[in-house]
């Protein structure tokens, strides 16, 4: 029934797929507000086996004239203004989760499914709750090694079934980006922006423009035209095979400094089994240097091979050693985390620490490197 897609003649990065009339996308539906309904108590919760039949009722999500897909999870968009359509299959997880209930194992499950179906699809969309979306997008960016296709994470603030919902636009935009743009990255599509996943933070609990990437520009902007900032798009390494690194180290944590934080609290936070900590310090990376007990606790943990990465509590900006209070941390062996978001630093640590064959020195070096565009190298 569908035209068979022609083989791609070009492998140009961030290039619209001119040669194809249709492209295939796998949608991994994990949960989130986008597919929620109000329960008897009036609060939102995910509803299983509901989205696919509902989407088939929306003409923009499914062109019935193209295919009789009753009871199946295959949908086809109508032709878009560029004369292309997206054929997509929805893989619904059970149970569907509010993303606040997701764990690191869920990152592995998503990554694993992407690797299982990697060769069959042109791109992937992950439907996800917004609350921990930036963590999942960051984690996937590290777990997917030598990625050559777009993985687009999206969701919404209002369920897709409601009259006034951002979910329909976000989902359709995600399908377009995943199918028609050769961006070999994990992306977040939300509120008419395409952001690098591991640069993204949830910045607003109510706005349709909930996500920002404070330290780099958007990868693309979705207006009447889709404008890709090609100079930002990561280059794919075509000499290496794609694979998923499934393991993730769970003994990591985020420690946010606050005025008056005690040595005892820092010391107990750094106790085994902790293997890696993201320290969220003040401003350009400053921590109290008038509390020798805190610095001693940090030094002792680093001696036990705990990796400690310093990032700023500010939404935007870099850590550097321009103040004595920042330098004191680096003198103990803390790694400056540059302009990484907390979500990226945390997931990068859990990825790097899970590489069992690497020495502590190599892992420490990896934390300083820009692995997936997650930090700016100066
Ligand atoms: N609590 C929801 C979630 O993260 C919020 C949302 O999707 O917007 O799953």
């Amino acid at each position: 029934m569908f035209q068979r897609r022609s083989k791609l003649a070009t492998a140009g990065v961030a290039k619209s797929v001119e040669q194809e009339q249709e492209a295939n996308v796998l949608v991994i539906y994990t949960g989130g507000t986008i597919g929620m309904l109000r329960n008897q108590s009036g609060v939102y919760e995910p509803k299983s086996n509901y989205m696919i039949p509902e989407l088939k009722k929306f003409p923009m999500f499914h062109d019935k004239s193209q295919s009789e897909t009753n009871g199946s999870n295959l949908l086809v968009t109508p032709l878009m203004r560029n004369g292309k359509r997206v054929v997509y299959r929805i893989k619904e997880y059970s149970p569907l989760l509010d993303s606040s209930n997701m764990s690191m194992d869920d990152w592995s499950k998503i990554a694993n499914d992407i690797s299982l179906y990697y060769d069959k699809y042109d791109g992937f969309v992950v439907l996800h709750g917004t609350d921990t979306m930036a963590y999942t997008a960051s984690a996937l960016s590290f777990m997917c090694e030598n990625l050559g296709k777009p993985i687009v994470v999206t969701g919404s603030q209002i369920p897709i079934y409601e009259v006034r919902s951002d979910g329909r636009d976000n989902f359709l935009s995600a399908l377009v980006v995943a199918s028609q743009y050769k961006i070999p990255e994990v992306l977040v599509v939300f509120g008419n922006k395409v952001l690098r996943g591991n640069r993204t933070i949830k910045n607003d609990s109510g706005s349709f423009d909930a996500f920002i990437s404070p330290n780099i520009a958007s990868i693309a902007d979705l207006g009447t035209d889709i404008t890709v900032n090609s100079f930002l798009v990561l280059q794919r390494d075509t000499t290496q095979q794609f694979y998923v690194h499934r393991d993730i180290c769970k003994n990591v944590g985020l420690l946010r400094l606050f005025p008056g934080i005690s040595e005892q609290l820092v010391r107990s936070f750094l106790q085994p089994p902790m293997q890696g900590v993201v320290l969220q310090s003040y401003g350009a990376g400053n921590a109290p240097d008038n509390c020798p007990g805190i610095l001693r606790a940090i030094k002792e943990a680093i001696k036990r091979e705990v990796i400690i990465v310093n990032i700023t509590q500010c939404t935007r900006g870099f850590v550097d050693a321009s103040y004595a209070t920042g330098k004191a941390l680096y003198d103990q062996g803390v790694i400056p985390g540059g302009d990484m978001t907390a979500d990226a630093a945390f997931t990068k640590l859990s990825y790097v620490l899970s590489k069992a064959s690497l020495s502590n020195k190599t892992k420490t070096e990896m934390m300083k490197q820009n692995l997936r565009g997650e930090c700016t190298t100066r």
Side-chain angles (χ1 to χ4, degrees):
M1 179 158 302
F2 301 123
Q3 265 180 289
R4 278 205 59 76
R5 63 181 285 256
S6 55
K7 270 263 164 273
L8 252 190
T10 57
V13 165
K15 188 169 180 180
S16 185
V17 184
E18 306 292 352
Q19 295 83 357
E20 296 172 45
Q21 291 309 303
E22 64 187 41
N24 295 295
V25 171
L26 179 66
V27 177
I28 296 175
Y29 172 31
T30 68
T33 297
I34 191 162
M36 289 191 186
L37 291 177
R38 286 196 195 276
N39 66 13
Q40 282 173 340
S41 323
V43 294
Y44 282 131
E45 67 181 13
K47 172 100 174 140
S48 298
N49 303 317
Y50 190 76
M51 183 181 274
I52 296 171
E54 285 302 306
L55 283 184
K56 285 183 179 173
K57 296 180 193 161
F58 288 114
M60 66 288 235
F61 278 104
H62 187 53
D63 181 349
K64 286 190 179 130
S65 72
Q66 282 300 302
S67 175
E68 199 39 71
T69 63
N70 285 344
S72 108
N73 59 354
L74 187 74
L75 290 88
V76 191
T77 68
L79 280 181
M80 300 190 180
R81 61 198 282 196
N82 60 2
K84 292 165 189 166
R85 60 173 92 244
V86 185
V87 180
Y88 60 108
R89 194 173 286 280
I90 301 183
K91 183 173 172 55
E92 178 174 316
Y93 279 4
S94 177
L96 291 169
L97 291 175
D98 185 306
S99 73
S100 309
N101 285 330
M102 288 176 87
S103 70
M104 291 171 158
D105 293 332
D106 294 300
W107 306 340
S108 301
K109 182 176 173 190
I110 299 167
N112 193 43
D113 276 333
I114 289 170
S115 82
L116 280 177
Y117 296 102
Y118 188 76
D119 292 331
K120 284 198 176 150
Y121 292 91
D122 298 294
F124 299 85
V125 169
V126 179
L127 294 181
H128 198 287
T130 60
D131 288 345
T132 65
M133 184 181 286
Y135 284 97
T136 300
S138 298
L140 291 176
S141 78
F142 297 113
M143 296 167 91
C144 293
E145 312 259 7
N146 313 315
L147 183 62
K149 298 179 179 186
I151 299 173
V152 182
V153 189
T154 195
S156 68
Q157 298 276 38
I158 296 183
I160 202 164
Y161 321 116
E162 294 192 17
V163 174
R164 210 180 129 260
S165 168
D166 52 333
R168 292 187 289 276
D169 277 352
N170 287 346
F171 191 3
L172 283 170
S173 297
L175 286 172
V176 169
V177 172
S179 62
Q180 297 178 17
Y181 288 83
K182 295 268 153 195
I183 301 176
E185 294 201 32
V186 178
L187 302 162
V188 166
V189 163
F190 214 94
N192 293 324
K193 284 186 295 204
V194 181
L195 306 171
R196 175 168 300 149
N198 58 31
R199 291 292 201 144
T200 301
I201 56 171
K202 184 173 178 183
N203 186 51
D204 194 315
S205 63
S207 167
F208 285 172
D209 209 3
F211 288 86
I212 57 169
S213 62
N215 288 316
I216 62 162
S218 48
I219 299 291
D221 296 299
L222 307 167
T224 47
D225 291 320
I226 296 180
T227 323
V228 180
N229 291 320
S230 305
F231 67 97
L232 282 176
V233 174
L234 295 179
Q235 296 295 311
R236 178 187 169 191
D237 182 353
T238 46
T239 63
Q240 303 288 323
Q241 278 275 323
F242 168 78
Y243 70 95
V244 160
H245 179 83
R246 289 178 184 77
D247 299 334
I248 207 85
C249 172
K250 294 178 179 168
N251 298 325
V252 288
L254 284 156
L255 179 60
R256 185 177 169 96
L257 295 182
F258 52 87
I261 189 169
S262 68
E263 173 190 346
Q264 197 192 5
L265 191 149
V266 174
R267 201 170 271 289
S268 46
F269 197 84
L270 295 171
Q271 282 308 301
M274 197 61 93
Q275 289 174 259
V277 168
V278 177
L279 190 69
Q280 294 183 273
S281 61
Y282 309 123
N286 303 315
D289 66 348
N290 60 356
C291 185
I294 291 183
L295 294 174
R296 223 176 13 250
I298 288 175
K299 191 173 188 169
E300 286 167 20
I302 292 170
K303 229 171 154 190
R304 294 194 305 272
E305 302 204 328
V306 177
I307 296 182
I308 305 180
V309 184
N310 186 26
I311 62 160
T312 176
Q313 294 181 8
C314 300
T315 305
R316 176 174 288 125
F318 239 92
V319 301
D320 61 30
S322 46
Y323 291 90
T325 44
K327 190 170 173 299
L329 288 177
Y330 308 126
D331 290 345
Q332 315 308 314
V334 171
I335 300 166
D339 59 354
M340 275 189 285
T341 63
D343 315 48
F346 176 79
T347 54
K348 182 177 179 178
L349 248 187
S350 51
Y351 159 77
V352 166
L353 283 167
S354 72
K355 300 229 163 197
S357 61
L358 302 181
S359 67
N360 186 261
K361 189 164 177 276
T362 309
K363 291 175 191 166
T364 303
E365 278 312 306
M366 281 177 82
M367 286 309 299
K368 294 179 188 166
Q369 290 160 10
N370 175 16
L371 302 179
R372 307 277 195 270
E374 73 280 5
C375 54
T376 309
T377 36
R378 276 181 164 176

